[in-house]
Amino acid sequence: MPKIIEGLRQRLLQEAERQLTEGGYSAMTIRSVAKACGVAVGTVYNYFSGKEEFAALVLLTRWKKTTEHIDSVARECAEPETLVRCIYQELCAYMDQYRVLFQDEAAIAVFTASFARYHELLRAQLAKPMRPLCQNDFEAEFVAEALLTWTVAGEGFDEIYQVIRKILN
């Protein structure tokens, strides 16, 4: 039975995130994370199956916080521009935090196969708070996809919202 060290899973995730955001997917290794946390490589495998799981969990943990904030704003606010701005700002912050990872060729190679499935899920998560502002599910999904696409492309909020406002009216 492996020895479970209190708080180690969280420390490993935090270190993996630090290495991913500073050096990208290629720079983060199980060995480097283990060394930084002062544990053996084998100990890391008691908590995680490998590098891919590390990266996915780092992104997922931050993404859950992002969607929780968006959902909170959606519950408290009926103003479309405020909600769309919140989604835009959260997407920008997420992209900025993980930009080095999103541009890392090794990460792209590893995660390309699952991109379509997760993209659909991401769009659905962003469409959910938009549904009360839209006439139907298609419009909500369309607005979510537009926000994703234009934010990743680096478009400013004012340009994006001019188009989205027409859809919401």
Side-chain angles (χ1 to χ4, degrees):
M1 179 104 163
K3 179 182 173 188
I4 303 300
I5 302 169
E6 188 75 29
L8 181 58
R9 185 176 195 280
Q10 187 60 34
R11 281 188 14 231
L12 292 166
L13 273 173
Q14 288 171 339
E15 179 59 27
E17 179 175 33
R18 186 190 69 73
Q19 290 185 24
L20 284 167
T21 57
E22 289 178 8
Y25 187 78
S26 300
M28 191 272 293
T29 66
I30 297 295
R31 184 173 308 284
S32 66
V33 171
K35 182 177 180 181
C37 291
V39 298
V41 171
T43 302
V44 176
Y45 286 104
N46 290 333
Y47 297 87
F48 303 98
S49 62
K51 182 176 178 171
E52 292 83 10
E53 183 181 15
F54 255 143
L57 284 172
V58 164
L59 293 171
L60 180 61
T61 300
R62 173 64 165 86
W63 182 248
K64 283 182 178 180
K65 290 176 186 173
T66 297
T67 56
E68 286 169 5
H69 182 250
I70 291 169
D71 290 344
S72 170
V73 169
R75 282 191 301 275
E76 298 170 9
C77 164
E79 174 59 39
E81 184 174 356
T82 302
L83 177 58
V84 174
R85 184 180 300 277
C86 170
I87 294 171
Y88 171 81
Q89 290 172 336
E90 289 294 323
L91 285 172
C92 285
Y94 191 84
M95 288 295 299
D96 287 345
Q97 183 170 4
Y98 298 110
R99 188 166 310 281
V100 68
L101 181 60
F102 294 140
Q103 296 172 342
D104 188 305
E105 294 296 325
I108 292 168
V110 168
F111 293 108
T112 296
S114 58
F115 175 77
R117 181 171 50 114
Y118 289 114
H119 182 85
E120 186 176 317
L121 178 62
L122 178 66
R123 184 179 57 237
Q125 289 174 331
L126 293 175
K128 181 182 151 202
M130 296 299 304
R131 282 193 171 84
L133 304 176
C134 296
Q135 295 197 18
N136 54 52
D137 287 348
F138 175 79
E139 282 185 7
E141 295 263 342
F142 186 87
V143 169
E145 184 64 36
L147 277 165
L148 277 170
T149 301
W150 292 333
T151 303
V152 170
E155 294 295 327
F157 178 78
D158 293 335
E159 291 78 19
I160 295 171
Y161 193 70
Q162 284 179 25
V163 176
I164 289 175
R165 184 177 55 234
K166 291 176 185 177
I167 295 167
L168 297 178
N169 288 333

